[in-house]
Amino acid sequence: MALQSSPSTHSTHSTACPLDCPDSCSLEVEVENGRVTRVEGSHINPLTRGFICSKVRRLPEHLYGPDRLLRPARRVGKKGLGRFEDLTWDQALELLCEQFEAVRRRHGGEAILPLSYGGSNGLLSQDTTDARLFYRLGASRLARTVCAAPSTAAAKGLYGKMPGVALEDYEEARLIVVWGANPSVTGIHLVPIIGAARERGARLIVVDPRRTPLAKKADLHLAPRPGTDLGLALAVIRELFGSGRADSRFLAEHCHGADTLRERAEAWTIERAASTCGVDEAAIRAFVELYATSSPAVIRCGWGVERNRNGGSAIASILALPAVAGKFGVRGGGYTMSNSGAWRFASAAAATPPASREINMNRLGRSLLELDRPPIELLFVYNANPLATLPDQQRVRAGLEREDLFTVVFDQVLTDTARYADLVLPATAFVEHHDLARGYGAMVLHPVLPVADAPGEARSNVEVFAELCQRLDLSEPGDETEPAALGRQLLEGGGVAVPAAGTVAAPVTGFRPVQFVDCFPITPDRKVDLCPESLDREAPLGLYGYREREGAVGYPLALISPATSRTISSTFGQLARRQAALEMHPGDAAERGLGDGDSVRVYNELGEVRCAVRANPDLRAGVAMLPKGLWARSTASGTTANALVPDSLTDLGAGACFNDARVEVEAAAS
């Protein structure tokens, strides 16, 4: 939705950031002649405190850089080359509708697969008019499990997704445990709060295979091998029970399954955990002592923990700790995972999901190449860049190369995935359309406003999917197509009070609930279930069952791909100026005769990545690192860490196992 701007106008506007980050920052955006020139934080969201991350400050480069898609276009020549010829919107939508109808005639709606992941979108840009379209087409349903699925399963099973400790309340804690999270690059506003808590005497524990910036300042840093967090958490639980420091009263009054949890933790002695995790026994004992004797004590559990075969059980065991130790009931005590449970929203799709097949996005490559009843013949990608973000990258690429697959990419920029598209459609960015942003760390709900003109012919998701419904005769009476009306459906249907004339007139802020005082588990009896039957059935070895990594003979290094300060998943990846380097512990590099800047080949049975290498003493031995969100241009081979990641699934939630990649590294042939 474009603004009418007059010559030489300069203005400052308030809006919010919906990108995939817990903090949901409020923004001040400077606009000149309809173009964004500067982005800074505001104080409307109290957590933002007037500053934002360096990623979003670079937004003008993203909006007006050479990769921005400006017009609809169709492929010219071979897939993957990224050559296109412009179309009008009418031509593009007519072509797309013809393809929809042809595929449905041949194989039915299940031959259509919409692929999206809305982490960096507001509440209106996904699951509104888009869901309406694909539901009514009878398309295959996508299991959006690439991130947070194991964590969601664990949190929902134990606590019903109870809201967590407000990030502002960490300042009240006397012990802060940051487990599998790196707020210095994802959720930066927690960092000064932790600093303020430490000035007041709080202790800090960090659990991460890297010495992150917070780990360097911590009172205790434990660096477990990737995939072994479950054993570490169970050892702490066992020791709490065994030493008599479990809170028997809290467990009796507020929990089910405590005896089962205790039984399943029994095998995890501190000695076994130390051996399995590669952590000193003394460090585990120090963790237990600090956690047992500190109050308030809060755990910030991150999503890095879930990215392996044991991820769901690992999250469950960490979230069980405050119940076992009785850390609830005081401000600054308990845990924070995602605070999305603080909100309830209704559906704005105005359609019923079809009883069609479900396809797990982590197995996109396998699905594109192997499904035949029916095959996927039309792939519609929006709010996502699957070639850069999904496991088993080479198989995904092979699927996208199919000449009989019609691929549509609706995006703001020419992504790696878009280079394989048959049709590209230019999308608006969040400063160019109406939306709603919900925090999942900060408890805030923002209006997102169009403060700048959309360049070229970019259109919003809401507009384009609504028009496709109309062109395909899938619209029905009562379908809302305007952002304000869709927002009212979402919020009022979920019990959020909004003004009659709009969606959210001003941000909704100020929630700081105390767990087990102001909020309780969202379970039938408001009690914690420490071993829910549903999760116990789902996990291959039962909940809290530990699985060893198999099939990694000859590949001794664990490859991790954490977030960085430069990208949000793969968003802004096109702005990278330099190629990425594989980081290794100096001892691992020396053992292979490698020095800083050497060209290396990182490989396993799935593929290889060619890039430079750099020694990093902050990594534990046996672990190598390539950042998350890289694009093809970031390596010499055009492949990224995901080319080395199997499409195996986590124990709960069928999530991605990025940290189960095992590799070897050698000097690249000259």
Side-chain angles (χ1 to χ4, degrees):
M1 180 177 288
L3 297 176
Q4 297 299 317
S5 55
S6 57
S8 301
T9 61
H10 182 276
S11 54
T12 301
H13 303 268
S14 293
T15 187
C17 179
L19 300 182
D20 194 357
C21 163
D23 294 359
S24 193
C25 292
S26 54
L27 304 177
E28 286 189 354
V29 181
E30 293 185 15
V31 177
E32 189 165 347
N33 298 329
R35 290 167 63 97
V36 174
T37 57
R38 188 167 178 264
V39 184
E40 289 293 341
S42 78
H43 292 269
I44 294 174
N45 174 2
L47 186 67
T48 306
R49 300 186 177 198
F51 71 94
I52 58 172
C53 68
S54 59
K55 310 176 186 81
V56 177
R57 282 202 193 94
R58 297 183 69 186
L59 184 64
E61 296 176 61
H62 173 81
L63 297 176
Y64 311 118
D67 293 293
R68 186 75 195 263
L69 293 172
L70 300 175
R71 295 168 191 82
R74 64 182 164 196
R75 172 171 63 99
V76 176
K78 186 179 177 182
K79 286 192 174 188
L81 298 180
R83 294 205 297 262
F84 301 93
E85 63 178 12
D86 289 347
L87 299 173
T88 66
W89 268 104
D90 189 64
Q91 290 172 325
L93 295 180
E94 182 178 357
L95 171 61
L96 179 52
C97 289
E98 289 173 356
Q99 290 293 327
F100 275 136
E101 290 171 339
V103 169
R104 291 178 82 197
R105 284 195 301 269
R106 286 194 300 269
H107 294 293
E110 286 188 334
I112 299 167
L113 178 64
L115 194 143
S116 61
Y117 189 83
S120 282
N121 293 276
L123 295 171
L124 304 183
S125 294
Q126 188 165 286
D127 295 333
T128 57
T129 57
D130 55 315
R132 184 185 301 163
L133 170 69
F134 293 116
Y135 288 176
R136 292 174 182 170
L137 284 169
S140 290
R141 293 173 296 116
L142 184 75
R144 294 187 185 125
T145 57
V146 71
C147 180
S151 302
T152 298
K156 187 174 181 179
L158 270 66
Y159 294 95
K161 292 193 72 178
M162 175 177 67
V165 176
L167 300 182
E168 296 93 326
D169 283 345
Y170 277 55
E171 194 166 340
E172 305 296 326
R174 299 280 67 80
L175 175 68
I176 299 170
V177 180
V178 178
W179 196 321
N182 184 11
S184 299
V185 299
T186 54
I188 58 173
H189 297 92
L190 185 57
V191 176
I193 295 173
I194 291 175
R198 298 202 73 206
E199 288 178 3
R200 296 174 60 180
R203 310 291 289 276
L204 174 64
I205 299 175
V206 174
V207 184
D208 198 293
R210 304 164 295 156
R211 290 179 66 236
T212 62
L214 280 179
K216 293 177 182 179
K217 301 175 182 178
D219 299 281
L220 181 64
H221 173 216
L222 292 83
R225 297 185 178 102
T228 66
D229 298 82
L230 172 59
L232 177 59
L234 289 177
V236 175
I237 289 170
R238 180 187 187 277
E239 189 66 14
L240 289 170
F241 276 115
S243 64
R245 289 184 284 189
D247 190 329
S248 57
R249 180 176 177 179
F250 181 88
L251 292 169
E253 291 182 5
H254 295 285
C255 302
H256 301 294
D259 290 341
T260 303
L261 173 60
R262 180 173 187 167
E263 290 169 5
R264 296 189 181 185
E266 185 60 31
W268 283 95
T269 63
I270 286 179
E271 293 76 15
R272 179 187 176 190
S275 175
T276 300
C277 303
V279 175
D280 288 342
E281 291 181 26
I284 302 176
R285 295 186 192 280
F287 183 113
V288 174
E289 185 65 24
L290 278 170
Y291 192 63
T293 58
S294 301
S295 182
V298 62
I299 296 175
R300 176 61 167 125
C301 185
W303 288 264
V305 177
E306 73 167 26
R307 294 157 62 96
N308 65 85
R309 64 206 176 277
N310 300 312
S313 289
I315 295 289
S317 63
I318 294 167
L319 297 188
L321 281 167
V324 173
K327 298 302 179 184
F328 293 117
V330 293
R331 188 167 297 280
Y335 72 85
T336 310
M337 185 80 211
S338 169
N339 279 330
S340 59
W343 305 97
R344 291 289 181 269
F345 301 109
S347 171
T352 302
S356 53
R357 67 183 175 188
E358 184 177 74
I359 293 174
N360 189 311
M361 67 190 307
N362 296 311
R363 290 182 166 165
L364 175 64
R366 196 178 297 271
S367 298
L368 291 176
L369 295 172
E370 298 177 8
L371 285 180
D372 59 0
R373 294 186 180 181
I376 299 170
E377 290 201 343
L378 194 154
L379 177 69
F380 196 119
V381 178
Y382 63 107
N383 299 352
N385 183 9
L387 188 56
T389 58
L390 295 185
D392 203 358
Q393 185 179 70
Q394 294 300 75
R395 194 174 263 142
V396 173
R397 191 188 310 275
L400 293 173
E401 288 173 343
R402 280 176 41 201
E403 284 295 332
D404 62 337
L405 174 71
F406 189 85
T407 299
V408 185
V409 174
F410 183 20
D411 209 312
Q412 299 158 25
V413 296
L414 187 67
T415 63
D416 286 350
T417 307
R419 293 183 176 278
Y420 290 82
D422 297 278
L423 178 67
V424 293
L425 304 174
T428 48
F430 72 86
V431 290
E432 299 159 359
H433 60 235
H434 284 282
D435 216 323
L436 289 168
R438 169 193 62 182
Y440 63 89
M443 296 188 196
V444 60
L445 179 66
H446 289 287
V448 178
L449 305 174
V451 299
D453 293 337
E457 299 173 18
R459 295 186 181 180
S460 71
N461 288 15
V462 169
E463 177 186 2
V464 169
F465 288 114
E467 183 169 345
L468 284 169
C469 271
Q470 186 176 28
R471 284 174 175 256
L472 290 164
D473 294 325
L474 296 174
S475 297
E476 295 180 0
D479 284 352
E480 300 287 4
T481 59
E482 293 299 318
L486 290 167
R488 282 197 300 273
Q489 281 189 342
L490 282 168
L491 301 178
E492 291 175 349
V496 180
V498 298
T503 53
V504 173
V508 179
T509 63
F511 301 149
R512 293 175 64 172
V514 176
Q515 292 175 314
F516 286 88
V517 174
D518 306 309
C519 64
F520 290 83
I522 308 172
T523 56
D525 59 3
R526 302 212 309 175
K527 290 188 176 184
V528 186
D529 193 341
L530 294 171
C531 194
E533 185 179 338
S534 60
L535 299 188
D536 206 30
R537 288 195 305 266
E538 182 180 353
L541 299 181
L543 187 61
Y544 307 116
Y546 181 81
R547 292 188 291 170
E548 295 285 353
R549 173 69 168 88
E550 297 176 355
V553 177
Y555 305 109
L557 299 174
L559 180 67
I560 62 173
S561 49
T564 73
S565 60
R566 294 179 294 279
T567 57
I568 300 172
S569 189
S570 72
T571 303
F572 304 133
Q574 82 279 11
L575 302 179
R577 300 287 183 259
R578 294 179 295 178
Q579 290 201 337
L582 176 79
E583 297 183 21
M584 301 176 67
H585 186 274
D588 292 330
E591 183 181 328
R592 292 160 177 79
L594 302 173
D596 280 2
D598 287 352
S599 295
V600 297
R601 173 178 175 254
V602 192
Y603 66 95
N604 62 17
E605 70 279 6
L606 295 174
E608 68 174 27
V609 179
R610 292 176 180 261
C611 59
V613 68
R614 181 168 64 243
N616 181 356
D618 292 329
L619 276 175
R620 65 160 294 145
V623 174
M625 183 177 82
L626 262 176
K628 174 183 180 181
L630 296 180
W631 286 31
R633 66 187 68 179
S634 296
T635 70
S637 56
T639 52
T640 71
N642 287 1
L644 309 170
V645 173
D647 66 357
S648 53
L649 302 176
T650 55
D651 55 344
L652 302 177
C657 294
F658 292 104
N659 290 351
D660 276 348
R662 298 294 181 266
V663 301
E664 183 54 284
V665 181
E666 65 183 17
S670 57

